[in-house]
Amino acid sequence: MMKLIKAEYSGPDSDDDLNFDIEVAYENKSDHDVEWVKSSCLILNKSGIVIGGNQDDETDVYIEPGETETFSVWSPYLKGANFAGDLGNNEIIVDSTFYRTEFHKMGEHSVPESTEKPSLIENGFDIGDMIKVLGTNIFLQPEDEEGEQGIEVKVGIRNVSDVHFEKVELKAELLDKKGNEIEESFDYFATNAFSSRTLTASFWGQKPSRLKSCTIKLSFTIYQPISSATVTGKIKKG
């Protein structure tokens, strides 16, 4: 269940811009933790005509089963002139989809010692009958003009199901010889049914001396929808 907690506007300012402050609350009635939300909104005038809005607004949350959490939904600035002087009778529609995550460790692997010998790692696995992860390629780039190197980590995946995954994510953590994190990198995509993707995490501007004995810790996460909700309400002066 989703409720509209706040729908307020401020302005218009000297540039005729209106700012919107939107908050909703969601009660998780599923059996899974909700860890990611993707929302969109439409702002309508008193005649029900869309003046503006936003899509693909992503929010990290953590809502356990039975718990309720409030989060913000972003809307862009809109010109006051679009509302023909009537700012008191406008409405917002918010649509949100809520996702659970499935996390998989892919091991910790040494950075290649040579630019001519990438690390080809047989750490593939299947996620049910849906996703196939096809191993890892870690490639050390040659030194550039500034004497620095880059690292590319590539993981290939196949979606062999008829399920659309809104987000599949690769996370790579570059660790020094003491296990301290130097840097982290992410890559993610939506994955259509019966399709393939290459996820690439990259580290640039690294000193070759610092890369000695470094490792890269890898993990893979898929995001699966568990519910969707819609809420509407009037927008008030804040």
Side-chain angles (χ1 to χ4, degrees):
M1 178 182 294
M2 188 164 69
K3 294 181 180 180
L4 188 64
I5 302 300
K6 181 191 291 187
E8 297 178 348
Y9 73 89
S10 59
D13 61 14
S14 59
D15 294 320
D16 196 34
D17 286 332
L18 293 169
N19 182 48
F20 296 88
D21 187 5
I22 312 300
E23 290 185 2
V24 298
Y26 174 74
E27 181 183 0
N28 181 10
K29 293 188 174 183
S30 76
D31 296 327
H32 303 281
D33 297 331
V34 172
E35 298 187 53
W36 191 59
V37 185
K38 195 167 187 178
S39 301
S40 61
C41 70
L42 295 174
I43 294 175
L44 302 85
N45 69 8
K46 63 180 181 179
S47 300
I49 298 172
V50 173
I51 303 301
N54 179 47
Q55 61 280 331
D56 299 334
D57 183 18
E58 301 175 1
T59 306
D60 291 321
V61 296
Y62 186 76
I63 314 174
E64 295 179 295
E67 296 296 316
T68 299
E69 183 170 323
T70 300
F71 60 94
S72 298
V73 178
W74 183 79
S75 174
Y77 289 100
L78 296 175
K79 295 296 182 182
N82 288 318
F83 296 92
D86 189 349
L87 298 175
N89 295 287
N90 303 301
E91 189 175 62
I92 187 167
I93 302 172
V94 177
D95 297 295
S96 297
T97 301
F98 301 86
Y99 295 81
R100 69 180 181 92
T101 65
E102 187 172 331
F103 176 83
H104 297 268
K105 295 180 179 179
M106 296 184 66
E108 187 173 329
H109 311 283
S110 298
V111 171
E113 296 180 357
S114 170
T115 59
E116 298 178 354
K117 292 183 178 181
S119 295
L120 304 175
I121 304 160
E122 296 181 1
N123 61 342
F125 57 94
D126 294 347
I127 302 175
D129 296 324
M130 299 178 295
I131 298 288
K132 291 183 177 293
V133 181
L134 304 176
T136 303
N137 177 8
I138 303 177
F139 179 71
L140 180 65
Q141 299 279 354
E143 291 186 32
D144 59 21
E145 294 179 354
E146 297 179 355
E148 297 176 335
Q149 290 182 284
I151 307 167
E152 287 191 335
V153 181
K154 294 184 180 293
V155 173
I157 65 167
R158 293 181 63 214
N159 181 0
V160 295
S161 75
D162 58 2
V163 177
H164 172 85
F165 292 92
E166 188 63 32
K167 186 177 181 181
V168 294
E169 179 183 79
L170 172 68
K171 178 182 179 181
E173 300 170 78
L174 180 62
L175 309 176
D176 66 17
K177 59 185 178 181
K178 295 181 180 180
N180 299 313
E181 183 181 290
I182 298 173
E183 188 178 343
E184 63 181 14
S185 177
F186 298 86
D187 193 22
Y188 61 87
F189 289 101
T191 302
N192 295 325
F194 301 106
S195 66
S196 301
R197 281 285 189 183
T198 300
L199 300 171
T200 304
S202 304
F203 304 98
W204 302 105
Q206 304 297 324
K207 294 295 185 183
S209 58
R210 193 177 189 189
L211 291 178
K212 291 181 179 179
S213 302
C214 282
T215 59
I216 297 175
K217 183 189 293 186
L218 301 176
S219 59
F220 181 80
T221 305
I222 62 172
Y223 294 72
Q224 295 180 277
I226 57 174
S227 68
S228 297
T230 298
V231 66
T232 63
K234 296 294 185 180
I235 304 174
K236 301 177 182 180
K237 176 72 173 179

